[in-house]
Amino acid sequence: MSASVATARTELRTVWRDGWWRRAAPIESPNHNARPDPAGVSLVVVHSISLPPGEYGGDAIERLFTNTLDWDAHPYFQSIRGLEVSAHFVIRRSGKLLQFVSCAHRAWHAGVSQWRGRDNCNDYSIGVELEGLEGERFEAAQYRQLATLLRALARRYAIEAVVGHEHVAPSRKHDPGRGFDWARLARDLRWSRTRVPFAPSATTRAAKANRPPGQ
Ligand SMILES: [Zn+2]
């Protein structure tokens, strides 16, 4: 084994422990179970969430993901009463990274979903929630943290693609929505369109730029 391979293996051991990334603040969620194939993690699903929608900075996301949200604390919470969900990671508006579920386990984030002919994306994906509102823009600090996290995940797992919840459950879900810049993410990562399939190609971007206003 070469020195660099040994160093990389040591780094993987110290940076990841049982599917928990050391650089994320851990908050354990009960909303997970076993993956049918623990070695089969191959997809990252990006979401957006804010509770109540459009309000940032409170603790309602952590409370929802740990089943400690007071459903009566806000009228909106009535509409999600009893929901038991969690992503693996949450990236706050500041870029702060939280981890709720070990990547070794199946977190309950995507629901009924399909990617490239395979059902149940939760089985083989990692869920990342960006604090935000679907359709609205996200912060530079969030893009930076997401790119750092995705690079780390791609070193640890055979990640084939990063997609949005709206792409794997198109009839039900619309997050992260039009305000999320897939081209920027692909550029930050220097990943190809195979891995960031919803990043518009250079020709699509040029066609949009040349389109007359109002079309
Ligand atoms: Zn979602």
Side-chain angles (χ1 to χ4, degrees):
M1 188 191 300
S2 74
S4 62
V5 170
T7 307
R9 286 190 182 165
T10 305
E11 194 206 54
L12 275 182
R13 266 202 308 276
T14 52
V15 173
W16 290 95
R17 177 164 286 188
D18 300 330
W20 293 87
W21 197 34
R22 288 288 183 83
R23 292 182 192 166
I27 302 172
E28 227 168 306
S29 166
N31 299 332
H32 63 86
N33 54 7
R35 291 188 187 275
D37 173 14
V41 175
S42 58
L43 183 71
V44 175
V45 178
V46 176
H47 304 254
S48 62
I49 189 172
S50 47
L51 291 175
E55 282 185 29
Y56 303 148
D59 64 356
I61 300 170
E62 288 96 312
R63 289 189 165 277
L64 176 67
F65 286 1
T66 54
N67 302 344
T68 56
L69 186 64
D70 174 3
W71 308 110
D72 297 316
H74 187 278
Y76 176 78
F77 298 163
Q78 300 290 337
S79 68
I80 55 170
R81 181 183 283 271
L83 200 62
E84 292 186 348
V85 293
S86 181
H88 293 89
F89 295 96
V90 170
I91 301 177
R92 308 297 307 237
R93 301 298 286 182
S94 64
K96 183 173 184 190
L97 181 68
L98 312 173
Q99 184 170 2
F100 290 85
V101 173
S102 161
C103 294
H105 295 163
R106 170 168 61 187
W108 304 339
H109 59 98
V112 176
S113 52
Q114 189 185 73
W115 174 243
R116 290 182 178 157
R118 288 179 72 194
D119 288 335
N120 301 321
C121 294
N122 285 346
D123 290 355
Y124 54 93
S125 73
I126 289 165
V128 182
E129 294 272 7
L130 303 177
E131 186 182 18
L133 191 60
E134 65 188 36
E136 297 296 321
R137 297 164 69 92
F138 296 86
E139 301 288 346
Q142 293 181 294
Y143 285 100
R144 279 196 297 275
Q145 183 64 268
L146 179 59
T148 303
L149 172 62
L150 287 169
R151 278 194 211 98
L153 288 171
R155 281 196 292 272
R156 178 75 182 77
Y157 302 96
I159 301 297
E160 289 169 12
V162 49
V163 300
H165 199 188
E166 62 195 293
H167 305 125
V168 297
S171 59
R172 300 185 302 116
K173 295 292 177 177
H174 308 285
D175 60 308
R178 292 162 64 92
F180 185 77
D181 189 343
W182 289 99
R184 176 178 183 162
L185 180 67
R187 215 166 44 238
D188 287 355
L189 287 166
R190 298 189 185 169
W191 283 7
S192 72
R193 291 194 67 222
T194 314
R195 265 174 146 186
V196 192
F198 296 98
S201 66
T203 41
T204 311
R205 285 200 302 278
K208 272 189 184 161
N210 291 332
R211 197 181 292 165
Q215 285 193 23

